[in-house]
Amino acid sequence: MTQDAAASTPHLHVMDHPLVDHKLAILRARETPSHVFRQTLQELSWLMAHPTFAALKTETAQIDTPLEAMDVRRMASPFPCLVSILRAGNGLIDGFSQICPEASIGHLGLYRDHETMKPVAYYSSLPGDIEIRQVILGDPMLATGGSAIMAVDTLRDKGVSDIVFACLVAAPEGVAALHGSYPDVPIITAALDRELNDSCYILPGLGDAGDRIYGTE
Ligand code: PRP
Ligand code: URA
């Protein structure tokens, strides 16, 4: 799938905002040091929370202001669960949890095998009642889509129906793969890039997200 074709994928939301582009430019630049990368990713995750949480379930409740009673809209219980695909997903999910501290946090440990480029699962920790929660699944990179699909497989096996996937940079190949397996899972991304290279890295991309966050290059 080309970048243009991917752009018209239903349920794909590509952010279009000067601050998002500015922060993404910092993340993409080769010379950006790890500590600046982490700080900028945190700031970008706050901006991404806006479209990512847009479909959050709410309820109406009556509260008293100091002056009178009023009906307010607030997050419905049970609160959502933020699920990080380790390890790079923590960069996004930490920021989301600062915006929405009531949410519980789950972790799915996956890494891409360097030979096969297929995801390998090594860890899982999710709330016991995750099937009744909305889930926001975060990973900065949607490349082949293998890791995101494996994470959604795991959540669906646990009975989760309501999942939003948030990433910083998506490749057309990853959008096609995730949408092909799970057309009902919305994808929120800060950018839709051109293509994958022969090593399944996103072009132009930002390199290896985990290494750039944690300085492990
Ligand atoms: C990166 C990234 C995604 C995955 C995307 O993780 O954070 O999880 O690759 O690639 P895919 O769409 O082709 O599956 P990586 O395997 O490098 O692990 P890390 O986060 O521990 O560095
Ligand atoms: N994982 C990354 O961290 N970066 C890519 O470009 C592709 C997969």
Side-chain angles (χ1 to χ4, degrees):
M1 185 187 270
T2 63
Q3 191 178 18
D4 283 348
S8 57
T9 302
H11 298 309
L12 174 71
H13 178 100
V14 184
M15 292 187 76
D16 179 14
H17 192 283
L19 265 180
V20 169
D21 291 346
H22 177 76
K23 291 185 190 301
L24 204 47
I26 295 170
L27 296 179
R28 287 185 190 277
R30 177 197 288 270
E31 65 275 12
T32 300
S34 211
H35 68 282
V36 177
F37 193 98
R38 280 196 300 276
Q39 174 66 33
T40 307
L41 174 53
Q42 183 182 55
E43 293 160 3
L44 183 47
S45 68
W46 295 335
L47 297 170
M48 290 199 67
H50 185 265
T52 303
F53 286 80
L56 204 63
K57 289 194 180 109
T58 57
E59 63 185 15
T60 304
Q62 196 178 61
I63 58 130
D64 296 316
T65 77
L67 299 176
E68 63 177 24
M70 73 173 287
D71 286 339
V72 292
R73 183 184 185 212
R74 65 184 186 191
M75 248 184 349
S77 181
F79 295 139
C81 180
L82 312 175
V83 176
S84 165
I85 300 180
L86 301 175
R87 64 193 159 138
N90 282 1
L92 266 183
I93 294 298
D94 287 352
F96 289 165
S97 78
Q98 287 161 344
I99 294 289
C100 183
E102 298 90 341
S104 56
I105 301 175
H107 296 93
L108 293 174
L110 305 177
Y111 71 87
R112 273 198 334 180
D113 181 282
H114 286 295
E115 300 289 317
T116 65
M117 295 301 160
K118 302 278 183 221
V120 179
Y122 62 89
Y123 183 73
S124 172
S125 173
L126 299 168
D129 63 351
I130 193 154
E131 73 282 356
I132 59 170
R133 295 173 187 263
Q134 286 182 286
V135 167
I136 290 168
L137 178 63
D139 189 330
M141 311 305 278
L142 180 65
T144 65
S147 304
I149 291 169
M150 185 178 271
V152 176
D153 287 346
T154 303
L155 294 168
R156 284 280 153 91
D157 285 349
K158 299 261 178 206
V160 181
S161 56
D162 195 342
I163 303 169
V164 174
F165 179 78
C167 60
L168 290 185
V169 182
E173 294 89 335
V175 170
L178 182 54
H179 184 67
S181 297
Y182 293 108
D184 59 322
V185 172
I187 303 170
I188 315 293
T189 186
L192 176 62
D193 274 12
R194 194 175 71 245
E195 61 184 346
L196 297 180
N197 69 11
D198 292 342
S199 305
C200 293
Y201 275 81
I202 300 174
L203 298 176
L206 51 75
D208 186 303
D211 283 345
R212 300 213 53 201
I213 294 169
Y214 297 110
T216 50
E217 275 162 285

